[in-house]
Amino acid sequence: MNLVPYRGRIAPSPTGYLHLGHARTFWIAQQRARQNHGKLILRNEDLDSARCKNEFVSAMYEDLRWFGLNWNEGPDRAGPFGPYSQSERRAVYLGALHQLREAGLIYSCTCSRQDVLRSLQAPHQGEEEPVYPGTCRAKLELGTSNSAPALTRPAFNWRFRVPDGETVSFVDAHLGPQQFVAGKDFGDFIVWRHDNVPAYQLAVVVDDSQMQITEVVRGADLLVSTARQLLLYRALRLNPPSFYHCDLMTDENGVRLAKRHDALSLRALRSQGADPIQLRVNWTP
Ligand code: GLU
């Protein structure tokens, strides 16, 4: 018998309309929470203010409810672990950033690369960054990182230094044993961006821990990010949750569904009169 009550979460980013692929992952998350007599938390991952829009936030609630999703805690209802929108949780992330810096595990980085641009969003399929070549790492090695800029001074990114060559292993509840090698499968990654915004990798770890999530259910394209996040859990001395990575839903050409697949957005399906029960008829976790 499980002594710790199950807490799962769904964590949409309101950067577009949700599609059937999101619905499937969230449905599995809901099923897992129900099977384990647990709670489901909705977290609004709206860190990327340039891409997140209010209209997508309201659509998100509406579409999720239409599909049959219900949550116990979230931005639209009270709960002990709020606020449940990431844009309102900066202070918590900043605390974690300080902790990483005190432990000498991050360095300021002036490189401007695609991964910096993308760091506010989870790297989904086809968006994995090339391994960072370590250009700015010397600052940490020379011990000058502490005399480097104040933590959140604009114009500097903060990058987490990964332990090169270390194998990060975990057992996924759906996909079984997984292994990724730091420095090879993924490199030093951004935890805080030069424009003073926490990156996805840091925010998600801090939130899943603070919201006492016991199992993270999300798409299989985030397996490598789980390895990154496990390093952050260790660095912050936090207990990681378990992980269940779902198979990705693809279109007829085998391409993962993304927000650009307008025809399969929950909005469009609903306006065409689709029945959610029919849509999920073959879905079993
Ligand atoms: N907000 C992220 C996304 O929509 C969540 C990723 C995760 O579940 O960790 O991709």
Side-chain angles (χ1 to χ4, degrees):
M1 200 181 113
N2 252 345
L3 291 178
V4 181
Y6 184 102
R7 286 175 62 84
R9 49 73 154 182
I10 55 178
S13 293
T15 56
Y17 294 119
L18 297 173
H19 55 68
L20 205 52
H22 295 114
R24 182 169 184 277
T25 302
F26 297 160
W27 185 254
I28 295 173
Q30 178 164 292
Q31 295 290 94
R32 304 247 338 142
R34 287 192 177 162
Q35 282 160 5
N36 288 286
H37 311 289
K39 293 219 155 99
L40 189 67
I41 286 82
L42 170 70
R43 189 168 64 232
N44 174 18
E45 301 217 325
D46 59 349
L47 281 179
D48 193 347
S49 58
R51 295 182 61 206
C52 294
K53 301 216 162 62
N54 283 341
E55 90 187 77
F56 295 137
V57 180
S58 38
M60 168 175 101
Y61 295 125
E62 222 176 274
D63 295 347
L64 291 174
R65 288 212 181 87
W66 167 74
F67 196 78
L69 287 151
N70 290 296
W71 45 96
N72 307 94
E73 296 167 30
D76 58 334
R77 56 189 63 205
F81 300 100
Y84 293 92
S85 286
Q86 289 192 322
S87 58
E88 294 166 33
R89 301 178 55 78
R90 238 187 91 83
V92 195
Y93 308 136
L94 199 53
L97 184 71
H98 278 277
Q99 208 184 321
L100 292 176
R101 186 179 182 189
E102 263 150 42
L105 293 169
I106 54 173
Y107 56 90
S108 59
C109 172
T110 48
C111 298
S112 85
R113 293 166 28 113
Q114 273 292 328
D115 60 350
V116 175
L117 267 182
R118 288 194 162 160
S119 59
L120 307 188
Q121 297 285 326
H124 287 290
Q125 200 176 48
E127 298 167 353
E128 259 304 330
E129 61 199 41
V131 172
Y132 178 67
T135 321
C136 290
R137 250 194 194 193
K139 292 175 193 156
L140 193 63
E141 272 142 23
L142 293 171
T144 55
S145 205
N146 277 339
S147 55
L151 261 184
T152 52
R153 180 169 144 193
F156 289 96
N157 302 299
W158 287 95
R159 218 175 255 279
F160 180 80
R161 189 199 159 135
V162 304
D164 281 347
E166 183 179 328
T167 302
V168 182
S169 319
F170 60 97
V171 179
D172 185 79
H174 177 53
L175 299 171
Q178 305 292 319
Q179 285 198 339
F180 296 95
V181 179
K184 181 168 158 277
D185 295 319
F186 61 95
D188 296 354
F189 56 90
I190 303 283
V191 288
W192 203 276
R193 217 168 66 163
H194 57 84
D195 53 355
N196 214 351
V197 188
Y200 157 74
Q201 304 289 354
L202 181 66
V204 82
V205 163
V206 170
D207 286 347
D208 284 335
S209 166
Q210 286 230 336
M211 295 178 184
Q212 299 188 9
I213 301 303
T214 58
E215 183 179 71
V216 167
V217 176
R218 61 185 173 199
D221 52 351
L222 292 176
L223 282 166
V224 186
S225 282
T226 296
R228 292 184 180 96
Q229 290 165 25
L230 285 171
L231 292 177
L232 283 182
Y233 277 103
R234 185 173 74 189
L236 293 166
R237 298 178 192 284
L238 300 171
N239 284 329
S242 314
F243 293 92
Y244 182 111
H245 288 85
C246 310
D247 304 319
L248 297 180
M249 190 174 242
T250 54
D251 66 11
E252 64 285 0
N253 302 315
V255 178
R256 179 186 80 95
L257 292 194
K259 286 177 180 146
R260 63 185 174 277
H261 285 83
D262 290 342
L264 291 173
S265 73
L266 299 182
R267 289 261 105 173
L269 292 166
R270 179 177 164 197
S271 70
Q272 290 152 20
D275 175 1
I277 296 174
Q278 285 309 313
L279 289 171
R280 53 177 188 254
V281 87
N282 294 320
W283 299 354
T284 38

